[in-house]
Amino acid sequence: MLGSGYTGRLLYKTGTVEGWTVHATSRNPLNNLAGIPSEQRLQFDLEQPSTWVNVPVGVDLIWCFPAAPFEQVQAFARTLDASPRRIVVLGSTSAYDAPSQSTEYPPPWIDESAPIDLTKPRVQGEEYLRSELGAIVLRVAGIYGPGRNLLDWIRQGRVGPSRKYVNLIHVEDLAAICLAAVEKGTPGEVYNVSDGLPHTWNEICGTAQQRWGVTAAAVKEVPSPGKRISNAKLCSELDYRFRHSDLYGALDLIESTRSQS
Ligand SMILES: NC(=O)c1ccc[n+]([C@@H]2O[C@H](COP(=O)([O-])OP(=O)(O)OC[C@H]3O[C@@H](n4cnc5c(N)ncnc54)[C@H](OP(=O)(O)O)[C@@H]3O)[C@@H](O)[C@H]2O)c1
C-alpha cells in the first residue's frame, strides 16, 4: 500500500483481517504509522528516490495518493521489477471534468469510455501506469465515512443546497473494492468506483434537515450540473456487492458512532 492516509489506514485493517500481509508506507512512518508493526511499516516518498528501494520485490501495489508528478511516476515505475504483480492506482472521477463538459440536466451517465482530461498531471501518471505497466485504475468518487462526514461539511458551510450532482463511496466499500481489484481486476482496465446512486446537494441538504436537524449554512451558487457516474462495470466485472449503498443509512451509523465517542 503506497500512502497510508484515510483510505490506506482502513485498507490496512481490512486486508489484514482478510488474511493478507499488508505493508504500509508513509513519508514519515515513525510518526504516521505508529499502530502498525515495524516489519510492515515502510518509508516511501515518490519525491525521494532513495526510499524507492524500500518497496519489497514482487508485492502487489495499491497506490493511494495522486500519481504525480509525471516524471517521478515514470522514474519510479522504471525501477519496479518485472515479476508478476498487480498494480491498482486510485484515481479520481475528476479525470472526467473535461473543459467541454456538457451542461445537460440531469447530467448524462458517465462510464469508463468517457473522455478524460489528460492535461491533469495525475491523469497522465495514471494513464502511464495503466498503459506501460498494466495498472488497474480506479476512478474514485467522493470518499466519506467515519471522520469524513457529509453532515459536518453541511454544518460547516463547506457544501450547501444546489442542484449539482455528487457521487460518493463509503471508505469501507472503497477498501474492499481495492482488494477485489487486486484479486479479480483485469490488468490495464479502468473501473469507476462509486455507490452508483448520485444525489443532488439539494436532496442531501433537505434530508439532513429533516432527518438530523442539520441546517445548511448557506445556499451555494448554482455551479456546474456535476456528473452521474456509472458503476455498472465494477458491479458486473468485479462482482462487487456494496455494504453501504444507502447513503442515509450510512450517515445514521456515522452520526450514532460519533455521538457515542
Ligand atoms: N478524498 C476524496 O474524496 C477523494 C475522491 C476521489 C479520489 N481520491 C483519491 O483517492 C486516494 C486516497 O484518498 P485519501 O483521501 O484516502 O488520501 P489521503 O488521506 O490524502 O492519503 C494519502 C497519503 O499518501 C501519502 N502521500 C502523499 N503524497 C505522497 C508522496 N509524494 N509519496 C508518498 N506518499 C505520499 C500521505 O501520507 P504520509 O504523509 O504519511 O506520507 C497521505 O496521507 C488519493 O489518490 C485521492 O486523491 C480521493
Side-chain angles (χ1 to χ4, degrees):
M1 214 173 63
L2 299 178
S4 316
Y6 183 67
T7 305
R9 277 194 286 273
L10 190 72
L11 187 50
Y12 175 84
K13 280 192 200 144
T14 310
T16 304
V17 166
E18 291 189 9
W20 301 65
T21 301
V22 186
H23 293 87
T25 79
S26 167
R27 291 167 295 184
N28 187 346
L30 278 182
N31 277 0
N32 297 350
L33 302 179
I36 293 178
S38 56
E39 63 278 12
Q40 282 158 253
R41 205 162 64 190
L42 310 171
Q43 188 183 24
F44 175 82
D45 184 343
L46 185 63
E47 311 250 10
Q48 299 289 334
S50 61
T51 65
W52 298 351
V53 292
N54 296 337
V55 176
V57 172
V59 294
D60 297 317
L61 296 178
I62 306 181
W63 189 310
C64 301
F65 65 91
F70 183 67
E71 292 70 25
Q72 295 296 92
V73 171
Q74 249 183 337
F76 169 62
R78 286 198 202 101
T79 68
L80 294 173
D81 59 283
S83 62
R85 62 164 93 211
R86 290 290 176 101
I87 303 177
V88 172
V89 183
L90 274 65
S92 166
T93 54
S94 63
Y96 298 120
D97 292 345
S100 61
Q101 201 180 343
S102 146
T103 52
E104 193 182 323
Y105 196 86
W109 285 94
I110 289 186
D111 68 15
E112 291 79 355
S113 65
I116 51 173
D117 183 356
L118 277 165
T119 65
K120 292 191 165 87
R122 78 174 293 165
V123 180
Q124 293 169 7
E126 291 157 13
E127 282 301 290
Y128 175 82
L129 293 167
R130 192 175 71 78
S131 56
E132 298 297 317
L133 275 70
I136 295 162
V137 174
L138 303 181
R139 296 216 176 103
V140 180
I143 306 168
Y144 76 101
R148 283 198 189 172
N149 180 351
L150 268 73
L151 298 175
D152 288 338
W153 304 348
I154 298 171
R155 289 181 180 107
Q156 293 155 6
R158 289 167 57 195
V159 290
S162 79
R163 62 179 208 145
K164 183 176 184 177
Y165 275 86
V166 60
N167 301 271
L168 296 161
I169 182 76
H170 193 288
V171 68
E172 285 177 10
D173 280 311
L174 176 56
I177 289 165
C178 288
L179 297 175
V182 172
E183 281 189 317
K184 303 186 211 164
T186 304
E189 287 290 316
V190 174
Y191 299 89
N192 288 343
V193 175
S194 156
D195 62 19
L197 295 168
H199 299 268
T200 63
W201 282 111
N202 277 335
E203 180 217 297
I204 295 174
C205 291
T207 309
Q209 176 72 66
Q210 282 165 12
R211 197 154 162 172
W212 297 282
V214 171
T215 305
V219 175
K220 296 276 170 189
E221 275 173 46
V222 177
S224 77
K227 302 183 282 293
R228 289 193 294 170
I229 299 289
S230 164
N231 66 1
K233 184 173 175 183
L234 171 76
C235 296
S236 62
E237 294 189 18
L238 298 189
D239 194 25
Y240 187 72
R241 299 285 174 271
F242 285 88
R243 296 173 193 181
H244 301 282
S245 51
D246 169 21
L247 171 66
Y248 301 119
L251 291 177
D252 251 341
L253 276 176
I254 295 167
E255 282 286 286
S256 63
T257 324
R258 196 172 74 146
S259 55
Q260 283 161 20
S261 57

